[in-house]
Amino acid sequence: MEPPNVLCYASKIIEPRYLGCYEWGVPPVTLLGPELRFPHPRTANRDGLVAVGGDFSVERLLLAYRSGIFPWTATPITWWSPNPRGIFELDGFHVSRSLARVLRQKTFEVTFDQAFGEVMKGCAEPGPGRRGTWITKEFLKAYTELHQRGHAHSVECWQEGKLVGGVYGVSVGGLFAGESMFHRVSDASKVALFHLVERLRERGFKLFDVQMLTPITQQLGGKAISRTEYLKRLAEAVEATPKFQAQ
């Protein structure tokens, strides 16, 4: 996914004279300071923007995901809670006949958490129809630290020893928040996503968040739910204690 074109918008928001007012048609958005807090997601503007500022510390990122919020840009740092929200029901992943054939043929070797940084870099590569990437060096550093602390995970697809696709995301309790996926060979990202869903089901996760639907995730069974429903399900999910990796 690409973030909305928010850089100009956000730079206007963080000027003090625009905070807390509707001048120029810009609704009030919270400017975060050093304290570890977020406003409620229901305060998001119509685009889903909740707040600007803060940092990419592990503690703040985990609090964001627990709160139904995620970052989408680094300069400035912006925090979002879209309405509606894209999710996969873990028993609703759609496997087409062509994908089923690829799975049966075992075209790819699939691993978990073996090349997290490489998967992120793959997701940051330019692709068809993609003007740029939101996965900047700041995101790479922050999510690599999340991974090293056991809170972010990847699924890798390999072919002849080369990484050809993958997906990564963040786990908090029984929530898995999918961040991005990529492929260098046809169907590699779909196979990675299939195995991710299977892993989440096997481990007892409760909610698979994909933030916003894309044509590919819709094709694979993704659906949109309201922010209200999402936050209700999130509150239950984060209290669960599944483990992404076997002990």
Side-chain angles (χ1 to χ4, degrees):
M1 297 181 297
E2 286 187 16
N5 185 13
V6 301
L7 298 186
C8 254
Y9 179 61
S11 67
K12 186 190 300 181
I13 290 172
I14 63 177
E15 293 181 37
R17 69 179 184 275
Y18 293 117
L19 290 171
C21 71
Y22 283 84
E23 190 173 350
W24 286 16
V26 177
V29 173
T30 299
L31 177 62
L32 299 179
E35 66 276 10
L36 198 59
R37 58 172 291 273
F38 284 100
H40 195 283
R42 67 171 172 262
T43 66
N45 68 15
R46 64 186 180 185
D47 296 319
L49 180 62
V50 176
V52 176
D55 54 58
F56 278 153
S57 67
V58 167
E59 292 75 20
R60 189 181 295 275
L61 286 168
L62 293 178
L63 176 60
Y65 286 101
R66 291 185 70 93
S67 303
I69 297 167
F70 59 87
W72 216 352
T73 63
T75 51
I77 299 176
T78 56
W79 303 91
W80 302 78
S81 179
N83 185 31
R85 190 72 163 242
I87 68 164
F88 273 110
E89 301 289 5
L90 293 177
D91 59 357
F93 189 83
H94 175 66
V95 179
S96 65
R97 283 184 291 182
S98 61
L99 179 56
R101 183 168 59 253
V102 172
L103 292 167
R104 286 196 305 271
Q105 292 172 344
K106 298 185 178 179
T107 306
F108 306 105
E109 177 188 357
V110 178
T111 59
F112 296 88
D113 283 343
Q114 296 302 300
F116 182 86
E118 291 181 59
V119 169
M120 277 202 75
K121 290 174 183 176
C123 292
E125 292 173 354
R130 186 186 300 168
R131 294 170 298 177
T133 179
W134 56 270
I135 305 173
T136 62
K137 63 181 185 299
E138 293 88 354
F139 277 87
L140 284 164
K141 180 180 178 182
Y143 283 72
T144 296
E145 186 172 357
L146 276 176
H147 173 65
Q148 291 169 345
R149 302 260 297 261
H151 303 297
H153 303 280
S154 60
V155 184
E156 304 90 18
C157 282
W158 307 84
Q159 197 171 64
E160 298 179 354
K162 295 180 180 180
L163 182 66
V164 294
V167 58
Y168 79 94
V170 176
S171 64
V172 181
L175 162 73
F176 191 91
E179 288 294 313
S180 190
M181 60 184 185
F182 82 103
H183 68 275
R184 295 170 182 151
V185 173
S186 294
D187 293 320
S189 59
K190 294 179 183 178
V191 169
L193 195 57
F194 169 82
H195 284 279
L196 173 58
V197 170
E198 290 298 293
R199 172 60 61 98
L200 299 179
R201 290 178 58 191
E202 292 169 0
R203 297 287 189 267
F205 279 78
K206 305 298 183 184
L207 181 61
F208 184 9
D209 171 22
V210 294
Q211 300 173 354
M212 298 175 70
L213 293 182
T214 66
I216 292 297
T217 53
Q218 283 185 296
Q219 177 188 2
L220 293 170
K223 72 175 191 179
I225 62 175
S226 70
R227 181 189 290 127
T228 298
E229 182 181 350
Y230 175 81
L231 293 175
K232 179 180 178 181
R233 293 179 62 172
L234 174 68
E236 298 173 357
V238 296
E239 296 303 317
T241 56
K243 300 295 182 183
F244 187 86
Q245 290 287 16
Q247 298 300 301

